[in-house]
Amino acid sequence: MKGEDDASYVRFQGTVRSPRGHFPGVFALTNTLERTGALTDEQWRFWRANNDWYDANYTNPSTVDPTAYDQDLNPGAVAWFKPSAGELIKRVDGYLEILTAHGIECRTLRSPDPGRIVYEDEYQIVVVPHGTHDH
């Protein structure tokens, strides 16, 4: 699929705002299901194996820059995949299936400019969304 999406960042997020006012991403939503014991055995095995894979292959921005998600410095900061993150994005489908099975809606956002970049690596950016009142 060539076209404008080739240069777009991608984010998978819920449709209901969290208490902090943002829309949680696909990983936060499935992690919440796991913490509350809602996953079936099969879903838990998928979640554990894939979270381990992501941990081994994908940098957690807050381990490199502890301020990336700081709500005072970077209000509303969220992560987006870069177009180069194809292998990482492919694995999201299983998470989306788990969320669907639990009645949690998720949407896919694409944008060439999702906000002010506060962190960047090979596969992702963390941004403060445009329109957020930051310092």
Side-chain angles (χ1 to χ4, degrees):
M1 293 174 62
K2 295 288 180 197
E4 66 182 74
D5 283 351
D6 291 347
S8 289
Y9 298 102
V10 179
R11 177 169 169 76
F12 303 92
Q13 69 180 29
T15 60
V16 177
R17 287 188 188 275
S18 74
R20 287 179 20 202
H22 70 285
F23 294 97
V26 64
F27 302 116
L29 291 168
T30 45
N31 289 347
T32 297
L33 288 173
E34 191 282 329
R35 272 194 309 278
T36 61
L39 299 179
T40 66
D41 289 345
E42 181 181 344
Q43 290 169 341
W44 188 90
R45 283 190 297 276
F46 170 88
W47 170 85
R48 180 72 277 149
N50 282 278
N51 274 18
D52 289 347
W53 184 88
Y54 277 106
D55 288 346
N57 293 284
Y58 185 61
T59 302
N60 178 338
S62 58
T63 62
V64 176
D65 179 359
T67 68
Y69 295 107
D70 183 292
Q71 288 302 296
D72 291 326
L73 295 174
N74 301 312
V78 293
W80 289 68
F81 287 111
K82 285 183 166 182
S84 59
E87 183 64 29
L88 299 170
I89 293 169
K90 277 195 274 188
R91 290 177 174 259
V92 170
D93 285 348
Y95 289 87
L96 296 174
E97 290 171 15
I98 290 171
L99 294 173
T100 297
H102 289 271
I104 298 171
E105 288 186 48
C106 233
R107 64 179 159 209
T108 303
L109 304 178
R110 295 182 188 280
S111 174
D113 181 18
R116 177 177 58 88
I117 296 174
V118 297
Y119 170 86
E120 182 171 7
D121 65 33
E122 183 179 358
Y123 300 112
Q124 67 186 323
I125 58 173
V126 174
V127 304
V128 174
H130 292 301
T132 303
H133 301 293
D134 50 358
H135 309 343

